[in-house]
Amino acid sequence: MKRCIFLIGLLLLLPVRSGWGFDLTILHVNDSHSYLTGTPDSILIDGEKTYATLGGWARLASVVDWERRQRDNVALLHAGDAVQGGLYFMKFGGKPEMELLDRLGFDAMTLGNHEFDKGAEFLAGFLKYTDVPVLGANVVASGVPMLAERIRPYTVLKYGDERVGVIGLTTADTASISSPGPGVRFSDVIGTACKYVRELEAQGIDKIILLTHIGYENDKKLAAAVAGVDVIVGGHSHTLLGQEAQCDFGVVGLCGAGPYPTEVRGTDGNTVYVVTAWKWSRVLGVLNISFDDAGRVKMVEPEPLLLVGSKTFWRKVEGRKVRLPSDDITAASDWLFSHPPAFPAGRDKRIAACLAPFTKGLDVLHEDVLGVASADIPTIEVPGVSASGLDLPHGSLLAPLVARSMLDKLAGTGRPAEIALQNGGGVRESILRGRITVGTVYAVLPFGNTLVSLDVTGDRLRRALEHGVTRSGGAFPYVAGARYTADMTRPKGQRITRAEVRLDGMWLPLDPARAYRLVTNAYLARGGDGYAMLADAPGREDTGFVLAQAFIEFVKRRKRLTPPVETGVTYVPAR
């Protein structure tokens, strides 16, 4: 209510704007990745670290409905990667994701690379569950007719006499990082955008949005290269934008990578407004735009919203997560409501009911058997003796297998990694002898981390290993594609006495000057556990692949897991 009063008061204070032809509100999400219910994370509420549930399509629906009631002209857009990540896609193959696009009334969706992960024919199959216009101006699917007939280069949204063109563009890297097959190719993004902007302008359309799945940095390059574009709504890089005034996500302890919107000067001298909305429906992008009678943007009012579940919060007390009492939950929700861009969001009952049978189906999935463990595969954070008295002088036997699953996952793409890094604290439970189920894997890897690949020099990797063994605890590093010796009797900064990388079947010394491709989990990639040397590493790519699902595929392929003979760690404890 407070927010409503604030917004109404602000509108009353604005002057009457003569000569302003059209107001449009763009609502947008991207990279929702089959996370149809909320996902847990920590944020700051009134300065205190608090665990909350973020996003989810029932919350998204309630806020979209709220926005539509406030505005006359609304475009709801999805910038790709609606599928692949959460368990819903594994179980139901895209059906609930597509049905939700319809139920929320999306005006358009562009294709992301992960839409192609199971092939073009499979993509065409699940697109039948939605009537939303599916865009891909640079997707040439002539070899797969059933997909080609479903994709269009653009759609035109009509608001009375006003028309808005929306052109869809997909990363050309899809051919190498996904599995579209030989019947699909991807043409140049910039050339394609120029072609269709000119085509829309020839129809008299002077308000043009590019709905892209190419990543934030490429969106900025695109904005600078193509004339006639007003707004770029992007996805692919999982970028959180918002650093200023009411858009500053720092108020809840999150760090925006740039302003929302990011302004780029186009080749025609006009400003292009670039926006994107993080991931997993956690943020609903809201950009209010005013055009003049000539179709030029005269004003933008940004209001991105972090969708926070308002019913339950937790905080750590003596090392345990404890649910807040009802009075504290009310106080936390009130604080969020008065501190945009946070938004305590309720759940739309209709969408929750729609999701319920699918969610129930996931309960059965958790019992699906993936393979068997021939013996116990124990885990421990730091080499030593486990709480149960098991001697593990070379550390976790399970963490190296998790790291190996990362390498295997990227080996099937056009961008393989050479080394994988996993922190011991991210592997939460041992695997016991016997059946390995989906539920087993999610107990071992519960955090929902995606795989992120980075370029690291040998020197940077050595510094990462030094940091991990010195910080110890949950930060302790386990690897695949590499091995090292940590001598804890030596001074800090000199404890990694040997580090080698396996290349072309040979073990070679780690070269300080050589660049290696590293894959790790998203937590470490953003500097978690103090790995600051990874947070600023170049060549960063969030693949969108979920670590738990990579390990599920790993178990399925191997069918039988055995404890590794070597962990890649030789550990000399401090005396």
Side-chain angles (χ1 to χ4, degrees):
M1 193 65 176
K2 293 176 184 176
R3 187 185 292 262
C4 294
I5 293 170
F6 170 78
L7 291 173
I8 292 168
L10 181 62
L11 291 171
L12 291 174
L13 289 172
L14 291 174
V16 176
R17 302 172 297 189
S18 60
W20 294 47
F22 177 61
D23 291 339
L24 175 68
T25 293
I26 300 173
L27 307 180
H28 61 99
V29 295
N30 53 272
D31 298 279
S32 48
H33 283 296
S34 301
Y35 286 102
L36 305 184
T37 54
T39 51
D41 211 336
S42 62
I43 58 175
L44 294 182
I45 296 180
D46 201 11
E48 288 194 63
K49 185 175 182 179
T50 306
Y51 297 89
T53 302
L54 306 181
W57 281 64
R59 291 186 185 89
L60 179 66
S62 70
V63 180
V64 166
D65 285 348
W66 186 87
E67 288 287 346
R68 281 175 170 151
R69 290 194 296 269
Q70 317 305 312
R71 319 285 182 182
D72 291 329
N73 306 308
V74 174
L76 179 59
L77 306 175
H78 196 301
D81 277 4
V83 302
Q84 184 66 281
L87 287 173
Y88 290 92
F89 187 62
M90 181 187 297
K91 177 69 174 177
F92 301 108
K95 185 175 188 288
E97 295 91 326
M98 296 300 103
E99 288 185 355
L100 286 172
L101 291 175
D102 276 4
R103 288 180 181 271
L104 269 70
F106 274 80
D107 293 292
M109 169 188 159
T110 203
L111 291 172
N113 52 293
H114 284 291
E115 265 73 57
F116 291 90
D117 279 356
K118 293 193 174 184
E121 291 81 3
F122 192 90
L123 167 59
F126 70 71
L127 288 180
K128 69 185 180 183
Y129 295 115
T130 182
D131 293 323
V132 170
V134 177
L135 309 182
N138 67 320
V139 179
V140 183
S142 52
V144 188
M146 64 186 298
L147 179 60
E149 66 186 22
R150 187 63 181 84
I151 303 172
R152 62 180 80 173
Y154 60 80
T155 189
V156 176
L157 309 181
K158 298 178 181 178
Y159 305 89
D161 294 332
E162 300 289 346
R163 294 182 297 167
V164 178
V166 182
I167 301 169
L169 297 161
T170 302
T171 175
D173 292 338
T174 300
S176 60
I177 63 177
S178 187
S179 304
V184 181
R185 63 183 177 86
F186 300 84
S187 56
D188 174 68
V189 168
I190 291 176
T192 302
C194 289
K195 171 185 175 181
Y196 286 107
V197 168
R198 300 291 87 80
E199 184 171 314
L200 288 171
E201 289 178 331
Q203 299 174 34
I205 296 171
D206 56 11
K207 292 173 279 293
I208 296 176
I209 300 168
L210 302 184
L211 183 61
T212 71
H213 194 84
I214 62 175
Y216 176 57
E217 294 301 325
N218 288 324
D219 280 333
K220 290 188 287 183
K221 295 174 184 176
L222 181 63
V226 181
V229 175
D230 298 299
V231 180
I232 296 180
V233 176
H236 186 49
S237 55
H238 296 196
T239 303
L240 177 65
L241 295 182
Q243 298 176 327
E244 64 295 326
Q246 75 271 26
C247 301
D248 184 7
F249 285 95
V251 72
V252 289
L254 301 176
C255 183
Y260 180 101
T262 297
E263 298 184 11
V264 179
R265 184 69 63 186
T267 58
D268 53 6
N270 292 324
T271 299
V272 182
Y273 298 92
V274 177
V275 293
T276 187
W278 201 15
K279 63 179 181 179
W280 302 354
S281 72
R282 289 177 165 191
V283 168
L284 175 65
V286 182
L287 187 66
N288 305 304
I289 309 172
S290 293
F291 297 89
D292 66 12
D293 291 333
R296 294 184 296 265
V297 176
K298 302 303 293 184
M299 188 176 75
V300 296
E301 295 174 346
E303 195 189 12
L305 300 173
L306 177 70
L307 310 185
V308 185
S310 58
K311 300 297 185 183
T312 307
F313 301 100
W314 299 262
R315 287 185 178 138
K316 277 195 174 180
V317 178
E318 297 180 351
R320 294 188 307 113
K321 284 184 184 177
V322 176
R323 186 181 185 275
L324 296 187
S326 58
D327 288 350
D328 289 349
I329 289 173
T330 300
S333 292
D334 289 345
W335 186 90
L336 289 168
F337 200 82
S338 61
H339 288 80
F343 194 96
R347 298 167 72 238
D348 183 288
K349 293 181 179 178
R350 295 174 299 109
I351 299 302
C354 168
L355 269 174
F358 294 109
T359 303
K360 186 175 181 179
L362 297 188
D363 294 337
V364 177
L365 178 62
H366 275 268
E367 299 303 317
D368 282 2
V369 177
L370 306 169
V372 297
S374 61
D376 290 351
I377 308 176
T379 195
I380 191 173
E381 290 183 345
V382 181
V385 179
S386 71
S388 61
L390 185 63
D391 189 20
L392 296 169
H394 302 295
S396 172
L397 300 183
L398 182 53
L401 296 179
V402 172
R404 171 53 58 183
S405 75
M406 298 186 198
L407 290 183
D408 285 5
K409 182 62 181 178
L410 293 198
T413 72
R415 295 183 180 178
E418 296 159 307
I419 305 164
L421 175 66
Q422 170 65 39
N423 57 316
V427 181
R428 306 303 290 178
E429 293 188 10
S430 301
I431 291 180
L432 302 180
R433 179 182 178 182
R435 299 187 313 161
I436 303 172
T437 67
V438 171
T440 305
V441 173
Y442 274 86
V444 170
L445 301 166
F447 297 117
N449 276 308
T450 52
L451 304 186
V452 177
S453 55
L454 312 162
D455 291 327
V456 297
T457 61
D459 176 70
R460 189 186 292 261
L461 179 58
R462 181 180 286 271
R463 285 189 284 121
L465 296 175
E466 281 280 357
H467 165 77
V469 300
T470 298
R471 178 159 174 157
S472 195
F476 194 89
Y478 292 92
V479 291
R483 63 187 182 187
Y484 69 90
T485 298
D487 186 346
M488 304 307 291
T489 67
R490 296 174 62 85
K492 181 178 178 181
Q494 301 176 28
R495 291 169 174 164
I496 302 300
T497 60
R498 176 186 63 105
E500 295 177 321
V501 180
R502 191 167 181 82
L503 300 173
D504 299 323
M506 299 175 59
W507 285 108
L508 301 173
L510 186 68
D511 183 344
R514 186 189 188 280
Y516 299 92
R517 194 65 177 165
L518 174 75
V519 59
T520 187
N521 61 64
Y523 174 68
L524 295 188
R526 65 174 181 262
D529 272 346
Y531 281 89
M533 70 294 297
L534 300 183
D536 61 356
R540 174 178 307 270
E541 180 184 355
D542 189 325
T543 67
F545 297 126
V546 176
L547 175 54
Q549 292 202 17
F551 194 67
I552 284 171
E553 294 172 12
F554 178 79
V555 176
K556 279 184 173 179
R557 282 193 305 273
R558 296 210 171 187
K559 295 184 174 60
R560 190 175 188 84
L561 286 193
T562 58
V565 176
E566 297 180 347
T567 67
V569 178
T570 301
Y571 187 76
V572 180
R575 295 187 180 92

